[in-house]
Amino acid sequence: VSASKIRKAQDRMKTSRPYARVMRQVIGHLAQANSDYGKGQDLGSFVTNGPVVELYARDAQYVDGDRVRVFLNGKIIQTDVYLQGNYTPILVKLENGFNTIEIEALNQGSSGPNTAAFSVFDDSGKLVTSSEWNLLTGARATMIVVKN
């Protein structure tokens, strides 16, 4: 093997080092991912007198293709919501009594976990609750809304 070929191979190795460092960081981050993200998340409970609540959700970190599905009392009310940088409104029509709202992570975008910020407003526009979630694919964030 000629010395020039060895030098070219060494040069290519040197130019790939920054990429290798980034790859090691990403892989290390994924390896240390919090296993609690797969268990779901309790978003709390609250009481309202109104017929609806408005759920606003957005990607809480890097907009990377996170998608969610929304359930009310076990029935799908939004099949596939793409989380963007701006809040996406989701109108939830409540039944009398207890209402279970679940948000299921359909994926983790290009950078897991599925991250979202959300706010819930009552029918008068008053902020009832807000929080963030970090979920693995298939995990659900759950809140209970009691309609009087």
Side-chain angles (χ1 to χ4, degrees):
V1 179
S2 71
S4 68
K5 286 185 179 181
I6 291 174
R7 272 194 297 279
K8 285 180 184 178
Q10 288 173 334
D11 289 343
R12 283 193 295 269
M13 285 176 48
K14 286 179 187 176
T15 58
S16 69
R17 283 185 184 153
Y19 301 106
R21 270 189 231 112
V22 170
M23 291 295 291
R24 280 193 296 275
Q25 289 173 345
V26 169
I27 291 169
H29 174 72
L30 292 175
Q32 294 175 0
N34 189 335
S35 63
D36 289 342
Y37 296 162
K39 296 179 183 174
Q41 196 167 335
D42 180 6
L43 301 175
S45 59
F46 60 93
V47 178
T48 184
N49 293 320
V52 299
V53 293
E54 290 183 278
L55 171 69
Y56 288 82
R58 69 173 178 83
D59 198 318
Q61 295 184 13
Y62 176 70
V63 177
D64 59 345
D66 290 339
R67 297 175 18 249
V68 298
R69 178 176 293 138
V70 183
F71 296 82
L72 175 64
N73 299 325
K75 297 176 185 167
I76 297 172
I77 59 170
Q78 290 286 321
T79 304
D80 193 343
V81 179
Y82 175 79
L83 299 176
Q84 302 176 41
N86 297 325
Y87 281 98
T88 299
I90 302 164
L91 185 67
V92 180
K93 296 179 183 177
L94 302 172
E95 298 174 6
N96 289 326
F98 287 85
N99 293 271
T100 302
I101 299 172
E102 296 176 287
I103 301 116
E104 177 184 18
L106 295 177
N107 70 346
Q108 296 176 60
S110 60
S111 174
N114 184 305
T115 58
F118 79 93
S119 297
V120 178
F121 296 87
D122 66 13
D123 64 325
S124 66
K126 178 183 164 197
L127 178 66
V128 177
T129 187
S130 64
S131 189
E132 293 186 359
W133 68 70
N134 296 288
L135 300 173
L136 297 180
T137 302
R140 293 182 182 189
T142 304
M143 75 179 76
I144 305 293
V145 181
V146 180
K147 177 185 170 193
N148 285 333

